[in-house]
Amino acid sequence: MTKVAILGIGTVGSGTADIFQDNADLIRKNVGDDVEVKYILCRRMRPDSRFAPRIVLDFDVIERDPEVKVVAECMGGVDPAYDYVARAIRAGKHVVSSNKQLVAERGLELTHLAREHGVAFLFEGSVGGGIPVLRPIMRCLAANRIDSVYGILNGTTNYILTEMIQCGKSFGQALKEAQEKGYAEADPTADVEGIDACRKICILSDMCFGYNVDPAQVRTEGISKIASVDVDYARRMGYRIKLLGRTLRLPDGRVTAYVAPHFVDMENPVVNVDGVLNGIVIHGNAVGNTVYSGPGAGASETGSAVAADILDCLTGPMDRQPIWEAQPEGYFMDADELACRWFVRTKAGLAEIGEAFGSVRFVSIPGGDPEEYAFSTEEMSRKRLMEVGAGMGLLAAYRILDE
């Protein structure tokens, strides 16, 4: 019998433990041996839990037990998760994680540490929840040069925007409902300000392009400033507003990444990914666009990805082990320099708009503010947009994604 340990019994930890308990026969068939969750690390005892006999309070117990072959880190955050993961790797144990902050901020060190010690460090559950996306990058798309990745990477913000678009709710109303339904935390900052999506796009960039991208480098905008009128303008133009994380390889070999609300064309494969679902588009130079959609969070959903990583560790741990390098000088380009078309809303006058932006296409909506003008621009960088729009009292500016 093979023994594993889980760190944390929150949403993902409990979901992972449930899978090993409930799908024991299937797991035995796939692995060729019984797999038992021997320990679950918690901060306190939980006598009412179905896993109470397996709960321990001291990581040392797990670290020193030679029977434990795989450790699943489902705690979240960097401290003490990083310390526990590093110690487990040094003890010769494979580690899997669903912790996007840990992987985004310390994945460079941990992937190299795992290789040094001949064990695996896998983290499928850190991006896209239950959606298989990192394995396809490493395996199915291995013969492709990946040119770009973008997508809806946060179910909370996608739910809020769906309610604003489909039901006409304000941001505040939709957020409150998301919190009542358990989709958003009491403090929703990491979700609604794009921080969660930023961590995930960093991991995707690392995996696809081979060099580390620090979340601190990534321009990140959330959805808290989106007004209902912007939803109406998007609809009028044939778009929907989606919060996207995006990373792409530039013609000169540099890479950029950012998170921002976009006006997304109605033909785009992610435009109808609604509610708490995630949707990711990966472009390979040979295959073109491949699309991945499904539940981006949840106990059993993310637990499914964690459990699959554990099984990989037990059957083929070093098969395309993810690893990336520190970025060389000049590798990363600030997304402010990336050119695209923009939707802009302002109270500036027509002459001022024409002088600043040149050729634009105006758009109006029934009942719109007569003192405002809304229009789409030709391609320009965000840096240029801010320069020409300085002093004009820009009320909103959104990237337009037509691809």
Side-chain angles (χ1 to χ4, degrees):
M1 177 177 287
T2 302
K3 307 294 179 68
V4 304
I6 297 172
L7 310 185
I9 199 171
T11 299
V12 178
S14 60
T16 303
D18 285 336
I19 288 171
F20 277 93
Q21 185 84 0
D22 300 337
N23 294 353
D25 292 342
L26 177 63
I27 290 170
R28 181 190 311 112
K29 180 180 177 181
N30 288 334
V31 175
D33 190 14
D34 288 311
V35 181
E36 178 188 77
V37 176
K38 186 173 183 179
Y39 303 114
I40 299 176
L41 181 69
C42 293
R43 294 178 179 177
R44 58 180 176 81
M45 299 305 296
R46 297 174 181 263
D48 297 330
S49 169
R50 70 187 293 200
F51 303 110
R54 305 174 193 183
I55 291 176
V56 296
L57 305 181
D58 188 349
F59 179 73
D60 289 353
V61 174
I62 297 169
E63 182 182 20
R64 295 173 181 172
D65 190 335
E67 285 192 330
V68 174
K69 303 301 181 186
V70 186
V71 174
E73 185 274 306
C74 304
M75 303 172 65
V78 173
D79 182 28
Y82 174 80
D83 177 56
Y84 292 162
V85 168
R87 285 165 60 185
I89 289 172
R90 292 191 182 99
K93 304 180 190 299
H94 304 299
V95 176
V96 308
S97 177
S98 61
N99 185 343
K100 58 263 187 182
Q101 183 179 2
L102 177 70
V103 179
E105 295 182 11
R106 307 300 292 271
L108 175 65
E109 304 162 54
L110 292 172
T111 54
H112 282 261
L113 185 65
R115 176 159 291 189
E116 289 171 12
H117 288 269
V119 297
F121 176 56
L122 304 178
F123 38 87
E124 181 68 61
S126 67
V127 179
I131 306 172
V133 62
L134 301 186
R135 273 185 191 78
I137 290 170
M138 289 188 294
R139 298 178 182 177
C140 308
L141 301 178
N144 282 254
R145 183 192 70 236
I146 304 298
D147 292 320
S148 68
V149 183
Y150 68 87
I152 298 164
L153 302 175
N154 182 274
T156 299
T157 51
N158 201 42
Y159 173 85
I160 291 170
L161 290 175
T162 299
E163 292 298 303
M164 293 176 70
I165 293 166
Q166 296 185 359
C167 304
K169 297 174 183 175
S170 69
F171 169 78
Q173 290 172 325
L175 171 58
K176 182 179 179 181
E177 185 175 293
Q179 290 171 319
E180 290 171 349
K181 291 187 174 183
Y183 299 150
E185 301 289 341
D187 179 0
T189 303
D191 292 323
V192 302
E193 298 304 339
I195 298 168
D196 177 81
C198 171
R199 292 163 178 161
K200 294 172 182 176
I201 202 62
C202 287
I203 296 169
L204 288 167
S205 187
D206 298 341
M207 293 284 293
C208 289
F209 304 133
Y211 292 103
N212 188 66
V213 172
D214 190 324
Q217 294 178 286
V218 177
R219 173 165 290 281
T220 302
E221 302 171 49
I223 66 169
S224 61
K225 297 179 182 178
I226 296 176
S228 297
V229 68
D230 298 321
V231 173
D232 295 335
Y233 275 115
R235 183 182 295 112
R236 183 77 167 182
M237 296 171 64
Y239 296 95
R240 285 182 180 167
I241 301 181
K242 295 289 186 180
L243 182 71
L244 301 181
R246 192 178 183 211
T247 183
L248 58 159
R249 187 197 305 270
L250 304 169
D252 62 6
R254 291 183 297 168
V255 163
T256 191
Y258 66 92
V259 176
H262 289 66
F263 276 32
V264 180
D265 185 88
M266 291 300 293
E267 299 300 317
N268 190 284
V270 303
V271 77
N272 290 314
V273 176
D274 291 328
V276 294
L277 299 181
N278 285 192
I280 302 170
V281 179
I282 302 175
H283 183 87
N285 70 322
V287 72
N289 282 344
T290 57
V291 184
Y292 310 82
S293 179
S300 60
E301 294 86 350
T302 306
S304 169
V306 173
D309 274 349
I310 293 173
L311 300 193
D312 267 7
C313 289
L314 298 177
T315 56
M318 301 311 291
D319 179 19
R320 303 200 65 80
Q321 164 69 31
I323 195 167
W324 52 88
E325 305 298 331
Q327 63 177 255
E329 185 176 354
Y331 169 76
F332 189 82
M333 185 190 83
D334 190 321
D336 275 10
E337 300 179 37
L338 183 68
C340 66
R341 295 198 307 123
W342 292 84
F343 167 81
V344 176
R345 184 164 55 87
T346 179
K347 286 186 177 292
L350 289 174
E352 192 176 0
I353 291 170
E355 182 179 352
F357 290 95
S359 178
V360 299
R361 179 174 294 181
F362 288 96
V363 58
S364 61
I365 56 173
D369 187 336
E371 296 184 359
E372 291 182 6
Y373 288 101
F375 54 90
S376 60
T377 73
E378 299 296 323
E379 286 198 354
M380 64 176 63
S381 68
R382 184 181 184 279
K383 181 179 180 181
R384 179 61 178 161
L385 176 73
M386 294 296 104
E387 288 174 353
V388 300
M392 291 179 60
L394 299 185
L395 302 173
Y398 298 91
R399 296 178 186 269
I400 297 175
L401 185 68
D402 289 313
E403 64 182 63

